[in-house]
């Protein structure tokens, strides 16, 4: 939406707690059923406001939305150097999107994607807009530790501009910094992130959830991208995303100093 200049950081949306995506269709609810009121573009991301994301998807429309689904790699395998990769199930053509499908996909439902697809797409959001082929192997050595082969970085395509990527990084930092620092905050470091809560496919009880948190650091020069997934958290409220955030915080608090990322006391 930012890339297509359909919205900017000053764009506002008023959340009443739900939105009706099409005539005769049940309302799609926000997790805050009383509504978030009027929000700017950054607030929408911090608040995880589903009705606002629906509005953004509707403004993009089916053609542009499906274009970016494909461009971010959700309709294809990433090509990682591991066997048995799945490509997920998504609406890959604009003709697949009716008003309800477009609305639900705009806040992340109606699709199945793999964790490696998610982290590859998220990386493109913050690395300057490039969709990169992920790798497990960095280089191949012989018995004398001589380099036989280096695995070079392969950029598949430019998904969004570097300017849009630069705009997104502080927006995702605001998610972590909101309310005095979220559970993923690590003192001295600029960290960006976004939580995710997914209903489990095939769950007839409508109670089972997968909680996730995707985070990167440092915001001004990203070096690390971390994706934590908790399948059915052992808690009454499985939709609470704090559990993967706690895990992410623990990992980052050790990983950032290990990689010699210098903390900023301010």
């Amino acid at each position: 939406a930012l890339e297509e200049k359909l919205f900017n950081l000053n764009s506002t949306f008023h959340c009443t707690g739900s939105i009706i995506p099409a005539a005769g269709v049940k309302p799609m609810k926000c997790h805050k059923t009383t509504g978030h009121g009027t929000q700017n573009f950054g607030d929408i991301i911090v608040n995880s406001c589903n009705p606002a994301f629906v509005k953004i998807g509707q403004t993009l429309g089916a053609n542009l939305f499906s274009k970016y689904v494909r461009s971010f790699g959700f309709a294809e395998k990433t090509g990682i150097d591991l066997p048995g990769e799945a490509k997920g199930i998504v609406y890959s053509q604009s003709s697949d999107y009716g008003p309800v499908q477009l609305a639900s996909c705009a806040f992340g439902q109606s699709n199945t994607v793999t964790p490696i697809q998610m982290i590859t797409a998220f990386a493109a959001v913050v690395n300057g807009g490039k969709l990169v082929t992920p790798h497990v192997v960095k280089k191949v050595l012989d018995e004398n530790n001589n380099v036989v082969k280096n695995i070079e970085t392969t950029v598949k395509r430019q998904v969004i501009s570097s300017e849009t990527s630069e705009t997104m990084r502080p927006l995702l930092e605001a998610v972590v910094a909101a309310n005095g620092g979220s559970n993923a905050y690590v003192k001295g470091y600029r960290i960006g992130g976004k939580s995710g809560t997914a209903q489990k496919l095939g769950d007839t009880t409508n109670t089972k959830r997968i909680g996730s948190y995707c985070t990167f650091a440092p915001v001004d020069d990203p070096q690390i991208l971390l994706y934590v997934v908790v399948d059915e958290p052992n808690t009454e409220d499985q939709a609470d995303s704090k559990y993967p955030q706690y895990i992410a915080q623990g990992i980052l608090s050790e990983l950032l100093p290990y990689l010699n990322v210098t903390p900023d006391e301010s």
Side-chain angles (χ1 to χ4, degrees):
L2 292 173
E3 178 73 12
E4 297 292 332
K5 296 179 171 53
L6 297 172
F7 291 86
N8 59 50
L9 299 185
N10 296 318
S11 299
T12 59
F13 177 80
H14 189 78
C15 170
T16 62
S18 65
I19 188 171
I20 299 174
V25 176
K26 289 182 179 180
M28 292 182 173
K29 295 181 180 180
C30 186
H31 67 90
K32 187 176 181 181
T33 55
T34 57
H36 286 107
T38 300
Q39 312 160 92
N40 63 29
F41 197 88
D43 294 333
I44 290 168
I45 298 174
V46 170
N47 294 332
S48 293
C49 181
N50 285 349
F53 284 120
V54 170
K55 183 65 176 178
I56 292 170
Q58 290 172 335
T59 305
L60 273 169
N63 287 335
L64 278 176
F65 192 91
S66 63
K67 168 193 167 183
Y68 280 99
V69 167
R70 295 193 302 273
S71 190
F72 273 106
F74 287 120
E76 65 187 25
K77 296 179 180 180
T78 66
I80 190 170
D81 46 351
L82 290 171
E85 183 182 8
K87 66 176 183 177
I89 302 170
V90 300
Y91 298 119
S92 59
Q93 304 298 323
S94 59
S95 58
D96 296 331
Y97 291 93
V100 175
Q101 289 85 355
L102 180 60
S104 63
C105 288
F107 61 90
Q109 289 195 338
S110 301
N111 299 302
T112 67
V113 302
T114 68
I116 197 65
Q117 283 178 323
M118 185 68 77
I119 204 169
T120 304
F122 199 103
V125 173
V126 300
N127 71 3
K130 299 177 175 65
L131 192 78
V132 178
T133 301
H135 289 287
V136 174
V137 176
K138 185 176 183 178
K139 54 190 172 183
V140 180
L141 309 176
D142 65 15
E143 64 273 16
N144 297 315
N145 285 332
N146 297 311
V147 177
V148 176
K149 181 180 181 182
N150 277 311
I151 308 301
E152 303 296 338
T153 299
T154 302
V155 177
K156 289 184 176 180
R157 52 186 168 268
Q158 188 83 27
V159 184
I160 56 175
S161 67
S162 59
E163 292 79 12
T164 301
S165 177
E166 190 173 346
T167 299
M168 282 301 303
R169 290 196 291 269
L171 290 179
L172 292 163
E173 181 182 20
V175 176
V176 176
N179 303 314
S182 77
N183 296 320
Y185 175 75
V186 179
K187 185 178 179 181
Y189 295 100
R190 295 183 62 190
I191 297 170
K194 187 72 192 78
S195 61
T197 304
Q199 294 171 278
K200 291 200 73 170
L201 194 66
D203 172 32
T204 57
T205 66
N206 194 28
T207 59
K208 297 179 180 180
R209 299 287 188 273
I210 296 174
S212 64
Y213 203 74
C214 201
T215 182
F216 70 101
V219 168
D220 51 347
D221 182 24
Q223 302 295 316
I224 305 164
L225 207 160
L226 173 67
Y227 187 46
V228 177
V229 181
V230 181
D231 189 351
E232 292 186 38
N234 186 20
T235 177
E236 187 173 335
D237 182 13
Q238 292 190 358
D240 192 333
S241 64
K242 69 185 178 189
Y243 305 103
Q245 290 180 49
Y246 280 138
I247 297 169
Q249 182 192 49
I251 294 170
L252 288 175
S253 65
E254 296 190 28
L255 190 55
L256 287 162
Y258 176 78
L259 292 178
N260 295 318
V261 180
T262 305
D264 183 349
E265 294 304 319
S266 65

